[in-house]
Amino acid sequence: MSEFEGSDYRELTLEDILRMFKKRMILFVSIVLAVVVVTGIYLIFATPIYEASVTIKVDPTSQSSVSDLFSSSLTGSSGSNISTEVELIKSRTNIEEIIEVLDLVDRIYSEETKNRLLAEGYSQKDLVTSLTRTISSMITVSPVKDTRIVRVSVQNRDPILARDIANTLADVYNTKLAELSKRDLTRKREFIEAQIPLLESDLNEATDRIKDFKEETGIYVLDKHADLLFQMLSSYDKQYNELMISAEEKKAEIETYQSMLDDFDSNDSKSIKALWVQTSESFSVNPVLTSLRQSLATLQVELASLEEQYPKTDPRVRSKITEISKTESLIEEQIQNEFITSGQGMTLNPAYQQIMTGVISSEAGFQILQASIQAVGLLRDQYQSELRSLPAKEQQLLDLERQIAVKESLYTLLLERLEEAKISEAAVVGNA
């Protein structure tokens, strides 16, 4: 039996629906009018939020084998990630630069408000810090899928301000890329520029000393044996100084990469920097690394001895060169393993990963240079010991001439390196 059998049930017709609307017409009209009025009031009195956006295309950067190793060991993935750019764009230093360029402290704070805050004990730096957080909350940075493009959006009630912040952020970011790329070149240039005047003064003093010595003693030239010692010592002195300058440049590179972490205002960047600095400092007491450096120095001394007797094509010379190359590779592997072991379990933002790749590469180069310096020092000491067999006056003359030769060679080298650093620094531009 049907559930509705015997009842008065029937379906609603269109006529029934219209009858209900007519019966409650006043209520329906009132609701519609109320909604229209409220919406109108909101549109009239509410302050609109405007959005300005800018797209930035960043050229891809090449990945080194060290980067691939580091990426696969620590993050489980390889290759560049656009989140590197996102992190850089939103960095605190960029926003502070925008505040300075657009003079936002005076533009956003009224004179009365600014004076009141300063009178209450707030400093200009406090105002900038507060404004940095405010502007950061306005900015949204999002990658465009499967591209090297990021979209930067700025929301604000002032459309002109939103536009200015978006455009300026793009410019500041491009400048930042150039600064990051040239920072180590700038440090090299500054280091060389600081050394040149000091070396020039030392060279003038050495020239005056040898002039006075020759006038007092009447000895103007070295005999054949002393001259041979002078030539060999000068050669090794030149190598030693070149290696020392290269080592200083590598140290500057390491410091530059470490300081880059300061550009990211996050707890992760601070903890990563502390960890990796501690790891770098441990290399001086690492027994494996110490043994490898000693082996490399010994091999280089042996190679120098062979090259004095045989041509470079000789199998014994080529075999020794191969041994040196293998030992250098072992040093690089040990450096990488130390960093990877120290950072086990850490998930690195790609921006940090690229920085640490630079640290590893520079640290490996520095360790190899230290071994080379040790080797050249040993070779130089061998000839240094022969000086004791010379008469005292000849020893003095040789030592004075050697000082001048070393300083002249170093002075020329620094001038060459300075020009190279200036050219390299000037050639770096932003790639956005």
Side-chain angles (χ1 to χ4, degrees):
M1 178 182 291
S2 174
E3 180 183 353
F4 302 107
E5 188 176 344
S7 69
D8 295 332
Y9 170 80
R10 65 186 182 84
E11 292 184 358
L12 287 175
T13 64
L14 180 60
E15 184 180 355
D16 294 331
I17 295 173
L18 291 174
R19 190 182 303 112
M20 283 190 292
F21 271 104
K22 183 182 290 187
K23 186 176 180 181
R24 296 175 176 81
M25 181 64 71
I26 296 176
L27 176 60
F28 291 141
V29 171
S30 299
I31 291 173
V32 172
L33 288 175
V35 171
V36 171
V37 170
V38 170
T39 303
I41 293 173
Y42 173 79
L43 292 175
I44 292 171
F45 293 102
T47 303
I49 301 296
Y50 297 93
E51 180 177 280
S53 64
V54 59
T55 55
I56 304 174
K57 177 180 178 292
V58 182
D59 292 334
T61 54
S62 61
Q63 292 278 322
S64 66
S65 58
V66 179
S67 175
D68 293 336
L69 170 64
F70 193 90
S71 175
S72 60
S73 299
L74 290 185
T75 65
S77 61
S78 62
S80 175
N81 193 303
I82 201 70
S83 61
T84 302
E85 280 68 42
V86 172
E87 182 81 6
L88 281 173
I89 291 170
K90 296 173 66 176
S91 66
R92 171 180 47 80
T93 51
N94 281 356
I95 296 177
E96 289 177 351
E97 183 73 15
I98 292 171
I99 293 172
E100 182 178 350
V101 171
L102 296 178
D103 195 20
L104 293 184
V105 173
D106 292 330
R107 187 168 169 179
I108 291 180
Y109 293 110
S110 66
E111 192 67 27
E112 180 183 350
T113 302
K114 190 167 74 169
N115 290 336
R116 176 174 57 79
L117 291 172
L118 293 174
E120 290 176 0
Y122 294 98
S123 64
Q124 186 78 9
K125 185 178 179 180
D126 293 331
L127 298 183
V128 172
T129 301
S130 175
L131 203 52
T132 299
R133 288 194 293 265
T134 301
I135 293 175
S136 181
S137 65
M138 302 178 191
I139 299 172
T140 303
V141 182
S142 54
V144 179
K145 187 177 180 181
D146 299 327
T147 68
R148 293 287 306 180
I149 294 175
V150 293
R151 182 182 301 279
V152 181
S153 301
V154 181
Q155 293 184 339
N156 195 263
R157 295 176 179 178
D158 183 349
I160 304 301
L161 179 62
R163 179 203 65 189
D164 290 348
I165 290 175
N167 286 338
T168 306
L169 181 55
D171 291 336
V172 167
Y173 168 62
N174 192 42
T175 303
K176 172 67 71 177
L177 289 181
E179 289 177 354
L180 290 176
S181 299
K182 71 169 63 171
R183 190 177 296 183
D184 62 321
L185 296 173
T186 301
R187 287 207 179 193
K188 289 179 187 177
R189 175 182 56 77
E190 291 173 348
F191 166 75
I192 295 171
E193 286 177 336
Q195 297 303 310
I196 287 176
L198 301 175
L199 187 58
E200 191 172 14
S201 176
D202 289 345
L203 182 57
N204 291 333
E205 290 179 8
T207 303
D208 292 338
R209 283 198 300 270
I210 196 170
K211 180 181 176 183
D212 294 339
F213 175 84
K214 288 180 177 180
E215 290 176 352
E216 290 174 5
T217 62
I219 302 176
Y220 293 94
V221 293
L222 297 167
D223 66 20
K224 188 174 181 180
H225 177 59
D227 186 59
L228 176 62
L229 284 178
F230 170 74
Q231 297 297 331
M232 295 304 298
L233 283 168
S234 295
S235 173
Y236 286 123
D237 284 335
K238 181 179 179 181
Q239 293 179 46
Y240 187 86
N241 287 325
E242 289 177 352
L243 290 168
M244 287 295 292
I245 290 175
S246 296
E248 288 296 327
E249 290 176 346
K250 285 297 178 185
K251 285 172 65 176
E253 282 183 18
I254 295 168
E255 292 170 1
T256 297
Y257 284 120
Q258 291 170 348
S259 69
M260 284 181 185
L261 289 171
D262 295 331
D263 291 327
F264 304 106
D265 189 26
S266 70
N267 292 329
D268 285 344
S269 64
K270 294 172 184 175
S271 60
I272 290 168
K273 180 180 178 182
L275 173 65
W276 296 119
V277 169
Q278 182 179 358
T279 304
S280 297
E281 291 173 348
S282 71
F283 290 142
S284 59
V285 294
N286 183 307
V288 177
L289 203 53
T290 301
S291 175
L292 286 171
R293 280 199 306 263
Q294 184 64 47
S295 297
L296 180 58
T298 302
L299 288 170
Q300 289 176 331
V301 171
E302 292 172 356
L303 175 63
S305 177
L306 288 171
E307 287 180 332
E308 289 179 2
Q309 306 173 56
Y310 310 104
K312 289 186 177 181
T313 54
D314 188 277
R316 284 162 289 195
V317 174
R318 296 175 64 178
S319 174
K320 194 64 65 176
I321 291 173
T322 301
E323 285 186 67
I324 289 173
S325 178
K326 288 180 179 178
T327 306
E328 289 178 347
S329 297
L330 288 173
I331 289 176
E332 292 175 357
E333 289 177 12
Q334 181 64 28
I335 296 289
Q336 292 169 11
N337 292 336
E338 282 292 313
F339 275 102
I340 292 169
T341 301
S342 299
Q344 208 121 44
M346 297 181 68
T347 301
L348 291 186
N349 178 293
Y352 305 151
Q353 177 187 316
Q354 290 182 358
I355 291 172
M356 293 320 305
T357 296
V359 172
I360 291 173
S361 176
S362 298
E363 188 67 62
F366 179 70
Q367 296 296 328
I368 291 171
L369 283 168
Q370 280 191 316
S372 299
I373 290 170
Q374 182 181 354
V376 174
L378 291 171
L379 291 166
R380 189 175 61 171
D381 290 343
Q382 292 177 8
Y383 287 95
Q384 186 85 31
S385 63
E386 293 187 37
L387 287 178
R388 300 189 189 94
S389 63
L390 297 177
K393 293 297 182 182
E394 275 201 297
Q395 285 188 41
Q396 285 182 266
L397 178 58
L398 190 151
D399 187 55
L400 290 170
E401 291 202 358
R402 179 184 170 193
Q403 288 180 32
I404 291 178
V406 168
K407 295 183 191 314
E408 285 179 341
S409 173
L410 186 55
Y411 185 72
T412 302
L413 177 63
L414 286 176
L415 290 177
E416 291 175 356
R417 292 288 183 93
L418 179 59
E419 290 306 312
E420 291 172 2
K422 285 181 177 179
I423 292 171
S424 299
E425 186 181 13
V428 175
V429 294
N431 63 333

